[in-house]
Amino acid sequence: MRVALVFAAVLCSVPAFAQSAPPPMVGDKPLVQVKPRNAASAKPQSMAVRLQSCLDIDDGTKERLNCYDAVIKPEPKEKAPTAKRVTDCKFTKEEDERLACFNGFVESMPKLPKS
């Protein structure tokens, strides 16, 4: 019985010893992790490019509206004013109307490069 208890104690203590090890060192400096080159040089995309990428999703679907809403957070109002620019679509309360509003503006935009 004591052997089993000692064996269990040793098994439980091994992960604790493994976690307390110091970080890997190169000479007297800690090892530094480098990000991949393409991730470091990636520029944040403009709002127009992100909105146009939503056009790749099937029209009239909840997924396309979710894509638009991820770019421009919705802020529904009871009496939304007529949209004069794409950012005004966020005030439309009804989802179908908001989707139609976004589609109208985004489809009329000139196509921009995605990079």
Side-chain angles (χ1 to χ4, degrees), residues 6-22:
V6 170
F7 183 69
V10 169
L11 285 178
C12 292
S13 64
V14 170
F17 287 123
Q19 292 177 0
S20 63

Side-chain angles (χ1 to χ4, degrees), residues 90-108:
K90 68 181 177 180
F91 299 121
T92 306
K93 186 175 184 178
E94 181 64 37
E95 290 183 350
D96 292 333
E97 292 175 13
R98 192 164 70 242
L99 179 62
C101 180
F102 279 124
N103 283 338
F105 282 105
V106 176
E107 288 173 351
S108 66

Side-chain angles (χ1 to χ4, degrees), residues 76-91:
K77 293 184 177 179
E78 285 296 322
K79 295 182 180 181
T82 304
K84 294 183 177 143
R85 55 184 179 247
V86 71
T87 55
D88 293 340
C89 295
K90 68 181 177 180
F91 299 121

